[in-house]
Amino acid sequence: EISPLAKPHRSKPGLTERFELFATGRELANSFSELTDPVDQRSRFEAQAAKKAAGDEEACGVDEEFLMALEQGMPPTAGLGIGIDRLVMLLTNSPSIRDVIAFP
């Protein structure tokens, strides 16, 4: 549910292929294998769109252009997100993300 673009785990139903990068006890990045099945992705987008229509501000809608790319044969991909705030935590040896961001 929190990873609508992540591929389902190959051997553990109900889980997705995700990992997090940790260095010196701090999370630096989230990463995952991206879902490339257009049928599965459409159903996930539609579930997210229903949540958005019900008032969930964090839910996304259906991305038709992305689905078209999947239907054309998008190759396997992965996503990786390294936040500048988390990198600054590492460089400044800050114990909390609240120590390095400008707003609480």
Side-chain angles (χ1 to χ4, degrees), residues 23-37:
T24 67
R26 294 174 181 88
E27 178 190 336
L28 295 182
N30 285 309
S31 185
F32 55 90
S33 297
E34 287 200 26
L35 180 63
T36 55
D37 178 351

Side-chain angles (χ1 to χ4, degrees), residues 21 27-31 79-88:
L21 173 65
E27 178 190 336
L28 295 182
N30 285 309
S31 185
L80 174 65
I82 299 176
I84 297 297
D85 49 1
R86 297 182 187 276
L87 188 57
V88 171

Side-chain angles (χ1 to χ4, degrees), residues 5 7 30 56 61 63-65 69 80 86-87 100 104:
L5 299 176
K7 186 178 285 190
N30 285 309
D56 185 345
D63 186 340
E64 292 295 341
E65 290 181 8
L80 174 65
R86 297 182 187 276
L87 188 57
V100 299

Side-chain angles (χ1 to χ4, degrees), residues 47-61:
Q48 287 283 312
K51 288 181 181 182
K52 185 175 185 176
D56 185 345
E57 295 178 6
E58 294 184 6
C60 64

